[in-house]
Amino acid sequence: MNMTFRWFGRGNDTVQLEHVKQIPGVKGIVWGLHQKAVGEVWEKHEIESEVNYIRSFGFHADVVESVNIHESIKLGNAERSRYIENYKQTIRNLGGFGVKVICYNFMPIFDWTRSELFRALPDGSTSMFYEKEKVENRDPQELIETFSNYSDFTLPGWEPEKIGRIKELFAAYRELTEEDLWNNLAYFLYEILPVAEEAGIKMAIHPDDPPWSIFGLPRIITGKESLERLQKISDSPSNGITFCTGSLGSNSDNNIVELAADFAERSPFTHIRNIKIFENGDFIETSHLSSDGSLDIKGVVKVLSDSQYDGYVRPDHGRHIWGEKCRPGYGLYDRALGIMHLLGLWDAYQTVKQEGK
Ligand code: DNO
C-alpha cells in the first residue's frame, strides 16, 4: 500500500506540503493542474513545475487526479477527435515526468454531488451530506433554473465553466442513453489506451458518486456488473479502476469488501472513506473508523493486506474538525487521522500474517 495525500496546488489549497510531511507514512502527493480548463493540453513546463515542487518535499508525484474528460467525448459528438488528441498529448506529457496513474471519471456534466457541504455531526464537526429528496425527484426545468442561478447547490467537484452552459449541456444529453455512454467510453478507451501503455501510465476510472442516475442523466460506473463490463472493453494493463469505497458504498447493494476482493487487482488507485447511510437513502460522510459509519473499512484494508496490495491509496474525504477552515472534505486534520487509522490496520494485518496467526 503506497500511501498518498490529495493536494490541490500552491495557492489553491489551505493545506501546506510542509504539514503533510509531518503525517507519518505518506509517500506521495496526488495532484492535478486544477487551473486548466477541461480539454486543454497539460503542457510540459506546467507539469514540470508542479512535479518538481512536490518532489522537493521528498514526495513522489506518481498519481494525477483528475485529467477530466471533455463533455464532447462523453457525448460522442463531432468535436471529440480534437479533445481525444489533446488527452493523448496530456498522457504523453505526464508519462514523460514519471506519472504512473491518471484518475478520471465518465460522469455526464456533474462530478461528485452532495446537497450540503458542512452538515453538523453529533460530535460538533461537520461533513458532507447527500439528501436524496433535495437532489432527486426534482422537476428538470426547475433544476435547470437552479443550476443557472447556482444558488442552493454547491458542487465541489464541478468545473465552474459549465455553469454558463448548463441549459445547452442538458439539452445535448437529452437523447443520450446509457448504451450510448458505454459506447462513447469504449471509443475513448480504444483511442487512448495504447498511448497510455506506451507512456507507462495506468488509467483509473473513478466510480460515479453517487452511483446512480441523477438529474435524469445516465451514470454507468456503479457497481460489480459495470466494473466487469469496463474490464471487458479492453484487457490492456492500462485499463484500470480507482476503487472508491465511499462512492460504491453509498449504494448498500454494493458490498465493498467483496468488491475490493474482486477488483483490487485491477485498481492501481484506491480511495478509502466511510459514510453513514440512513434508512431513506440519505448519507453523510464520517470518520474512517468502521463503527462510525455503514462501511466495513477494516474489512477492505484486510483484503488489501491479504493480497499485498501495492497500489496507491489515499484517505478520501474527511470531516472538518478542530475548527479547520478548508476545502470541503479536504482538510488536513481528519485525513491525517484517517491515514493513521488505515496504516494502523495495515500494520496489524501484516504482522498477524507474518506471524502466521
Ligand atoms: C471527490 C473525488 C472526485 C474525483 C473525481 C475523479 O472527492 O473523489 O472528485 O476526483 O471524480 O475523476
Side-chain angles (χ1 to χ4, degrees), residues 62 75 101 112 114 141 171 176 208 225 245 260 263 299 311 325:
D62 296 358
L75 285 162
V101 174
W112 53 301
R114 299 288 182 273
Q141 195 49 45
L176 194 102
D208 301 341
E225 256 177 51
T245 61
F263 297 104
K325 299 268 175 286

Side-chain angles (χ1 to χ4, degrees), residues 104 106-107 178-179 181-183 185-186 189 205-213 218-234 239-243 247-248 251 253-254 259 262-263 266-267:
Y104 71 104
F106 220 71
M107 292 176 246
E178 278 187 15
E179 277 313 298
L181 194 58
W182 273 112
N183 289 337
L185 173 60
L189 288 173
I205 196 166
H206 190 284
D208 301 341
D209 182 2
W212 53 78
S213 162
R219 286 193 157 197
I220 54 175
I221 308 297
T222 54
K224 186 176 167 108
E225 256 177 51
S226 49
L227 293 174
E228 278 168 351
R229 182 166 176 180
L230 172 92
Q231 291 180 329
K232 286 200 191 109
I233 293 177
S234 163
N239 183 25
I241 298 163
T242 298
F243 188 82
S247 303
L248 292 165
N251 177 351
D253 293 341
N254 284 335
L259 290 177
D262 290 343
F263 297 104
R266 288 298 292 269
S267 305

Side-chain angles (χ1 to χ4, degrees), residues 9 28 33 73 102 137 159 165 191 205 235 248 252 285-286 300 345 356:
L33 296 181
I73 298 177
I102 296 177
N137 312 324
E159 296 131 8
R165 295 203 300 136
E191 286 280 323
I205 196 166
D235 58 10
L248 292 165
S252 33
E285 302 190 356
T286 66
V300 170
L345 287 169

Side-chain angles (χ1 to χ4, degrees), residues 6 65-66 103-105 107 111-112 206 271 314 316-317 330:
R6 188 179 193 187
E65 177 174 354
S66 306
C103 172
Y104 71 104
N105 73 75
M107 292 176 246
D111 201 301
W112 53 301
H206 190 284
H271 288 177
R314 71 170 178 86
D316 203 0
H317 312 152
Y330 284 101

Side-chain angles (χ1 to χ4, degrees), residues 300-320:
V300 170
V301 179
K302 180 158 192 316
V303 166
L304 300 182
S305 165
D306 286 350
S307 62
Q308 284 306 124
Y309 182 74
D310 63 359
Y312 303 93
V313 173
R314 71 170 178 86
D316 203 0
H317 312 152
R319 301 161 300 149
H320 319 106

